[in-house]
Amino acid sequence: MGLDVVIPKAGLYLWARVPVGYTSASFAARLLEDTDIVVTPGSSYGDHGEGFVRLSLTTPDEMIERGVERLNGWSIPPPLSE
């Protein structure tokens, strides 16, 4: 799907690296706008979180499956110039 995901050894969240040219906040906003998927910008967790978004696995399986389907059909667009 084009996302580089850090596979957790344990936990309820996935961390995905944002594509080049995006900040964690701009990519989270783009995901919401384009796919109606809400993720948390990594910058919300401090400087070390910048460059990542956090995806929750605490959502019901059906909602995760719908989100995966939306991501699978989505081509990551180039970032908007600021």
Side-chain angles (χ1 to χ4, degrees), residues 7-79:
I7 305 296
K9 294 181 185 188
L12 303 173
Y13 305 97
L14 294 176
W15 288 89
R17 186 174 304 280
V18 301
V20 173
Y22 283 97
T23 64
S24 60
S26 68
F27 188 65
R30 190 67 183 252
L31 266 175
L32 179 59
E33 181 179 318
D34 289 0
T35 66
D36 292 326
I37 294 173
V38 176
V39 297
T40 305
S43 59
S44 298
Y45 299 95
D47 292 340
H48 295 293
E50 181 53 58
F52 295 87
V53 291
R54 189 176 89 158
L55 297 93
S56 174
L57 300 176
T58 61
T59 310
D61 289 349
E62 300 80 32
M63 292 184 76
I64 291 174
E65 289 169 6
R66 274 199 334 239
V68 169
E69 288 171 10
R70 289 179 192 165
L71 284 175
N72 199 28
W74 183 58
S75 295
I76 300 171

